[in-house]
């Protein structure tokens, strides 16, 4: 069984087509799917709660607690 925070292939395609690049810096390398608000708050993995971020911006957002 999939973990609750695991994205489906369809979800990944929709988010990647919508965002295309990191929503923070516009970068296109090492893109990751980020839960917004954080999964621990929303407890859901839906397209409306997902954003593409590069690894550096994703890490920075969680370090500064900006959710």
């Amino acid at each position: 069984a999939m973990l609750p925070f695991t994205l489906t292939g369809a979800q990944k395609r929709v988010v990647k087509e919508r965002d295309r690049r990191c929503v923070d810096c516009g970068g296109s390398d090492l893109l990751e799917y980020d839960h917004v608000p954080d999964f621990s708050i929303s407890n859901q993995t839906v397209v409306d709660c997902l954003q593409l971020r590069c690894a550096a911006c994703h890490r920075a957002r969680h370090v500064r607690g900006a959710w």
Side-chain angles (χ1 to χ4, degrees), residues 5-60:
F5 53 83
T6 302
L7 282 70
T8 66
Q11 287 173 316
K12 288 179 180 181
R13 280 191 301 277
V14 169
V15 174
K16 194 163 191 176
E17 287 175 12
R18 181 195 66 204
D19 295 348
R20 300 197 181 269
R21 296 179 169 274
C22 175
V23 297
D24 291 335
C25 74
S28 60
D29 293 332
L30 300 174
L31 294 175
E32 300 176 350
Y33 298 88
D34 187 17
H35 287 80
V36 180
D38 192 57
F39 183 80
S40 65
I41 296 167
S42 70
N43 288 315
Q44 57 183 343
T45 297
V46 294
V47 169
D48 289 346
C49 294
L50 296 167
Q51 295 179 336
L52 270 185
R53 283 193 166 76
C54 68
C57 287
H58 190 183
R59 191 167 39 257

